[in-house]
Amino acid sequence: MERELYKSLPRKQRLFAAFSFGTNVEKRKMMFGDSVSSGAIHTGTEAFLLIGDEDYPDKLYDLSNPPLLLYYRGEKKLLKDAAVSVVGSRTPSSYGVKMTRNIVNELSLYNISIISGGARGIDTTAHRAALQAGNSTICVLGCGLGVDYPKENAELFRMVSRSGLMLSEYPPGFKPEKWTFPMRNRIIAALSDAIVVTEASMKSGSLHTATYGVEINRDVHAVPHEALSPWGQGCNHLIELGAGILYNSRDFSEDFRKRITGR
């Protein structure tokens, strides 16, 4: 219903809303009939996806507050492919890193795109493992394109731009803030067909991604950890709440492939 409503609005009106300053509430009001000031719309030089356009990802309409606009670098056609988000701790243990690589490698055998958030730790491991396996990866940033955060991932972001896809709802050059990462996580969840949390403490932002996923009916899976492991309490908590227990990456990947392809 909301998808058709967005598509029915004139593109110029959607552009005004997307490029206006203010909160999401103000932008929504602008889209649904409030007056907009006249003047030129400055879109900049970065390519972007506008809500209501044909190339805007259908999965994002599942969100109650979909991004009005997404800047991108790379292959936007990847947004139509089957994808699994792999997320977790910024300070992972060797076990978390190993499980992340195993899961990504198994999914890569079936050319299932890997989505993550470009952060230190599990996110970086997931992106690199996908690239090393010759697979596609999508990186959703909590800052604008052109901002290397964290700095040590500058070359990784260049590689993803060349063979995968970089995405951000923030203007190019926009610096990261604490609130931008939870907002980013909703996009990661929505673009995914399934969400995998490989390692997370109880305060991990990856739990936000899992929560968003549950709200929009995405499958959530978590890697089990030792009962006393501080790095894995978030994963164990997700399992306690009903997430799938992911202890065999080969079976998970095969089951996911069958569910997506129907054979």
Side-chain angles (χ1 to χ4, degrees), residues 35-243:
S35 61
V36 296
S37 58
S38 60
I41 301 171
H42 301 287
T43 61
T45 58
E46 293 285 357
F48 62 87
L49 303 164
L50 178 66
I51 195 166
D53 283 358
E54 287 299 318
D55 57 357
Y56 186 86
D58 285 342
K59 294 175 183 176
L60 291 180
Y61 289 112
D62 292 339
L63 293 168
S64 61
N65 60 336
L68 301 184
L69 178 146
L70 280 173
Y71 296 94
Y72 74 91
R73 291 179 183 175
E75 298 291 338
K76 67 178 180 180
K77 64 182 180 181
L78 295 177
L79 294 169
K80 297 184 180 297
D81 296 342
V84 172
S85 64
V86 181
V87 295
S89 172
R90 284 180 168 82
T91 56
S93 67
S94 58
Y95 171 73
V97 169
K98 180 178 180 180
M99 289 300 296
T100 300
R101 287 174 177 161
N102 287 347
I103 292 165
V104 171
N105 287 339
E106 289 292 339
L107 290 168
S108 296
L109 293 175
Y110 304 113
N111 298 316
I112 297 167
S113 295
I114 305 299
I115 303 177
S116 202
R120 294 184 179 95
I122 295 300
D123 288 18
T124 295
T125 300
H127 290 306
R128 290 194 182 281
L131 291 172
Q132 290 167 1
N135 192 18
S136 302
T137 187
I138 299 172
C139 178
V140 186
L141 295 174
C143 55
L145 296 178
V147 177
D148 295 326
Y149 184 84
K151 290 183 178 180
E152 63 264 27
N153 278 357
E155 181 55 31
L156 173 63
F157 296 153
R158 308 296 178 273
M159 294 170 65
V160 175
S161 296
R162 290 193 294 268
S163 59
L165 180 66
M166 299 288 295
L167 288 174
S168 176
E169 68 176 318
Y170 305 110
F174 188 90
K175 304 297 183 183
E177 302 283 352
K178 287 185 178 180
W179 58 269
T180 61
F181 295 102
M183 296 295 286
R184 172 207 60 184
N185 292 344
R186 84 192 196 285
I187 298 175
I188 293 175
L191 290 176
S192 308
D193 295 290
I195 298 164
V196 172
V197 183
T198 58
E199 189 167 64
S201 69
M202 289 300 293
K203 295 183 178 181
S204 174
S206 56
L207 300 188
H208 296 150
T209 306
T211 299
Y212 284 124
V214 171
E215 291 175 351
I216 56 175
N217 298 315
R218 301 296 190 263
D219 289 338
V220 176
H221 301 262
V223 172
H225 286 251
E226 292 182 358
L228 299 179
S229 167
W231 296 279
Q233 289 302 301
C235 287
N236 292 341
H237 180 64
L238 289 175
I239 293 169
E240 185 179 24
L241 293 177

